[in-house]
């Protein structure tokens, strides 16, 4: 009797097992079909110079869809349009009581001439440093000559971009400046041409240039870019600030057009962001980075990269890991949305030709539909006086970026550095520098993170990269980006007076050593031109 009972028990259990297996099979099939339809998590999908083998419209549509899937909806609670405690700091570049007037120290028959190189902003650093070099040499400065023959192919002279009369008048107490080298015995005479090492200290100028200047009476320093040390006596650093932030004023036509563009942005919105995108083919080729465009991208950018003979073999993954690659437009947009800037925010983009064109820009425009450039804000006739001159067009972008509530720099070029320093000097207006090293890893794995987690990490990684007071030390970076000697902190009521943000070292003149200047690196004019803006 035991055997039939076991058979009956086995049959009853099997009766329940069959429906269970059927239900499980249905769920497995459903899961299988859903997994096919769902997008696979792939970190490389964020690189939107993607899949160049697909049609442009479909690729752009896919990129837009991906962008929408990964946008954090909520920002954080910080004030996204101002820097914390910025009201406690201000620019202070006045000369000290011991800084003697130019009329007291300038030697007769001692003239310094310089020839700048690069684009607008590299030239600006050269002009600023030339004034300080003339002061170190107790010489009269001849208005600098601008680079007209290299990469930018711009025929503009100093007076076409900057107000030369204002420049001379504003600096009259600091340095004697003339427009042209005076005649010698009624005749034109040629200055002695020479070069100095990069980042040459004041001591270096005294020992290398001054003896020649005393003998020849007029010296022209060629290729004057980064030819003055980063760290100088405090009064010389403050002179740098007076030149860069006060004496160098754009000519009226450029000022009026630049201000008109900024006003048109203000008419559209109370606040706006300016983005220096820097995603042009030459910049990407120089960086040696790869954005997922396959053999076509590698061939196109590789062909451009061959122009720079001094560049080493590129290592795209290494460059990306070290934060040396410009972020894609989509990545910039996702970073800004995570920092609390909503899709209603108006954005001005300062950029040249974007690699990949509209397909590359499409995701950024979806994230920020209120997307403008100088070409969309002004008519062709309005831009016609400037459009044939790269420096004048760059000046228009410079003005709008300077006037913006938030400036975003997607590179480490000279425009980004000068604007960062200028915005610190004039009130610490928010200036966002992407933390490339940290954000690279985050974007690589963004498809595996929730919106909240992604947003949290972006905000965490961007601390110290937002342009706030004291987020960087006084010795960090180049002086034009971090003019610490020219930023003062308001003292509290109990102490009175002002507190310098930092003080620079004082240098003494003894004997020339190897530490007076940094060893000159191999120079490539084309590389300097590229990095200038």
């Amino acid at each position: 009797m035991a055997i039939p009972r076991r058979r009956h028990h086995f049959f009853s259990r099997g009766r329940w097992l069959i429906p269970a297996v059927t239900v499980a099979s249905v769920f497995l099939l459903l899961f299988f079909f859903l997994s096919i339809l769902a997008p696979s998590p792939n970190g490389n999908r964020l690189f939107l110079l993607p899949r160049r083998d697909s049609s442009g419209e479909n690729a752009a549509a896919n990129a837009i869809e991906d962008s929408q899937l990964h946008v954090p909806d909520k920002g954080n609670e910080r004030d996204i349009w101002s820097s914390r405690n910025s009201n406690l700091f201000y620019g202070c570049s006045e000369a000290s009581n011991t800084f003697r007037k130019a009329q007291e120290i300038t030697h007769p028959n001692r003239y310094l001439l310089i020839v700048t190189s690069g684009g607008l902003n590299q030239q600006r650093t050269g002009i600023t440093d030339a004034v300080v070099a003339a002061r170190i040499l107790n010489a009269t400065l001849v208005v600098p000559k601008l680079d007209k023959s290299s990469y930018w192919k711009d025929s503009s002279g100093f007076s076409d971009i900057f107000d030369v009369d204002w420049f001379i008048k504003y600096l009259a107490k600091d340095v004697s400046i003339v427009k042209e080298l005076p005649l010698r015995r009624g005749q034109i005479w040629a200055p002695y041409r020479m070069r100095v090492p990069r980042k040459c200290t004041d001591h270096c100028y005294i020992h290398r240039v001054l003896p020649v200047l005393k003998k020849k009476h007029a010296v022209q320093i060629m290729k004057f870019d980064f030819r003055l040390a980063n760290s100088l006596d405090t009064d010389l650093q403050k002179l740098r600030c007076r030149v860069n932030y006060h004496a160098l004023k754009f000519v009226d036509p450029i000022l009026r057009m630049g201000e008109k563009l900024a006003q048109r942005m203000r008419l559209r919105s109370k606040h706006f962001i300016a983005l220096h995108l820097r995603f042009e083919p030459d910049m990407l080729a120089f960086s040696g980075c790869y954005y997922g465009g396959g053999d076509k991208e590698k061939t196109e950018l590789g062909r451009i990269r061959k122009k720079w003979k001094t560049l080493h073999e590129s290592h795209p993954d290494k460059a990306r890991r070290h934060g040396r690659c410009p972020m894609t437009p989509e990545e910039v947009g996702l970073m800004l949305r995570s920092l609390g800037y909503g899709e209603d925010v108006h954005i001005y983009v300062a950029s040249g030709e974007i690699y990949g064109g509209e397909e590359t820009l499409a995701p950024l425009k979806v994230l920020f539909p209120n997307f403008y450039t100088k070409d969309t804000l002004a008519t062709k006739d309005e831009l016609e006086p400037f459009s044939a001159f790269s420096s004048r067009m760059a000046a228009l972008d410079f003005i709008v970026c300077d006037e913006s509530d938030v400036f975003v720099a997607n590179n480490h070029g000279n425009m980004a550095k000068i604007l960062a320093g200028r915005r610190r000097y004039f009130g610490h207006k928010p200036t966002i520098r992407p933390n490339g090293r940290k954000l690279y890893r985050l974007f690589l794995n963004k498809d595996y993170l929730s919106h909240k987690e992604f947003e949290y990490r972006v905000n965490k990684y961007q601390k110290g990269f937002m342009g706030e007071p004291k987020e960087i030390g006084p010795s960090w970076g180049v002086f034009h980006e971090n003019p610490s000697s020219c930023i003062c902190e308001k003292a509290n009521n109990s102490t009175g007076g002002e507190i310098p943000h930092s003080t620079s070292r004082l240098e003494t003149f003894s004997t020339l050593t190897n530490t007076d200047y940094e060893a000159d690196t191999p120079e490539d004019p084309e590389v300097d031109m590229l990095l200038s803006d």
Side-chain angles (χ1 to χ4, degrees), residues 6 17 26 36 73 93-94 132 158 202 211 222 224 236 241 264 320 324 372 381 395 531:
R6 278 203 295 265
L17 185 62
V26 171
I36 293 175
D73 295 326
S93 58
E94 299 82 3
V132 179
F158 188 101
D202 42 4
M222 308 302 295
F224 198 82
L236 294 179
C241 294
R264 288 174 183 175
R320 188 83 169 166
R324 296 172 185 164
Y372 304 94
D381 288 340
L531 295 178

Side-chain angles (χ1 to χ4, degrees), residues 258 261-262 265 272-277 345-351 370-378 383 393-401 404 406-408 415:
L261 294 173
M265 289 297 296
F272 74 93
I273 294 173
L275 166 62
H276 191 212
L277 194 53
V345 168
H346 288 60
I347 185 168
Y348 177 91
V349 175
S351 180
N370 299 303
F371 180 102
Y372 304 94
T373 66
K374 54 182 173 293
D375 296 301
T376 62
L377 290 173
L383 294 177
M393 292 290 274
L396 298 180
D397 279 337
F398 186 97
I399 293 171
V400 181
C401 290
S404 67
V406 174
F407 173 62
V408 182
M415 179 172 171

Side-chain angles (χ1 to χ4, degrees), residues 114-338:
I114 66 106
V115 179
T116 65
S117 64
L120 173 68
N121 296 288
Q122 185 168 321
Q123 291 175 349
R124 191 182 188 106
T125 63
I127 295 167
T128 299
D129 289 348
V131 173
V132 179
R135 173 76 190 201
I136 291 170
L137 297 167
N138 294 331
T140 294
L141 177 68
V142 178
V143 170
K145 302 291 184 184
L146 304 188
D147 179 14
K148 299 180 181 180
S149 59
S150 56
Y151 184 86
W152 300 105
K153 302 292 187 290
D154 192 325
S155 61
S156 300
F158 188 101
S159 60
D160 295 317
I161 299 175
F162 301 108
D163 187 331
V164 65
D165 293 323
W166 172 264
F167 178 73
I168 294 172
K169 181 180 178 181
Y170 190 89
L171 295 170
K173 294 181 180 180
D174 300 314
V175 176
S176 173
I177 305 175
V178 296
K179 293 182 180 179
E180 300 289 344
L181 184 64
L183 298 177
R184 188 179 190 182
R185 297 169 189 161
Q187 296 182 342
I188 298 174
W189 55 303
Y192 179 83
R193 293 186 176 185
M194 65 179 295
R195 297 182 71 168
V196 297
R198 288 197 169 196
K199 301 182 181 179
C200 194
T201 67
D202 42 4
H203 192 178
C204 170
Y205 274 92
I206 293 297
H207 285 269
R208 284 177 173 261
V209 182
L210 186 57
V212 180
L213 192 56
K214 287 180 177 179
K215 182 179 180 180
K216 302 294 185 179
H217 302 294
V219 167
Q220 185 176 55
I221 302 178
M222 308 302 295
K223 201 176 185 301
F224 198 82
D225 56 335
F226 312 110
R227 303 293 159 174
L228 188 60
N230 194 48
S231 183
L232 298 169
D233 168 69
T234 299
D235 261 326
L236 294 179
Q237 298 288 56
K238 286 181 176 289
L239 176 56
R240 266 177 163 162
C241 294
R242 291 198 293 280
V243 179
N244 198 1
Y245 305 137
H246 299 284
L248 282 175
K249 185 175 76 168
F250 292 121
V251 293
D252 285 344
I254 292 176
L255 267 181
R256 284 196 297 268
M257 190 68 239
E259 291 172 352
K260 188 178 293 185
L261 294 173
Q263 289 170 1
R264 288 174 183 175
M265 289 297 296
R266 293 269 179 234
L267 288 174
R268 288 164 169 78
S269 179
K270 181 179 179 181
H271 301 292
F272 74 93
I273 294 173
L275 166 62
H276 191 212
L277 194 53
R278 212 64 174 99
F279 209 73
E280 296 89 347
D282 55 359
M283 187 66 196
L284 302 187
F286 175 80
S287 67
C289 300
Y290 175 66
Y291 292 89
D295 291 338
K296 183 179 180 182
E297 178 189 328
K298 292 176 181 178
T299 301
E300 290 173 345
L301 298 185
R303 187 183 305 118
I304 299 173
R305 187 175 172 85
K306 289 179 181 178
K307 294 192 304 181
W308 299 291
K309 297 180 181 179
T310 58
L311 292 182
H312 301 294
E313 181 182 354
S314 64
H315 299 281
D317 292 337
K318 181 178 179 181
R320 188 83 169 166
R321 287 197 309 271
H322 289 183
R324 296 172 185 164
C325 297
M327 292 165 58
T328 67
E330 182 195 25
E331 291 170 346
V332 174
L334 290 172
M335 177 191 72
L336 291 174
R337 290 294 294 271
S338 298

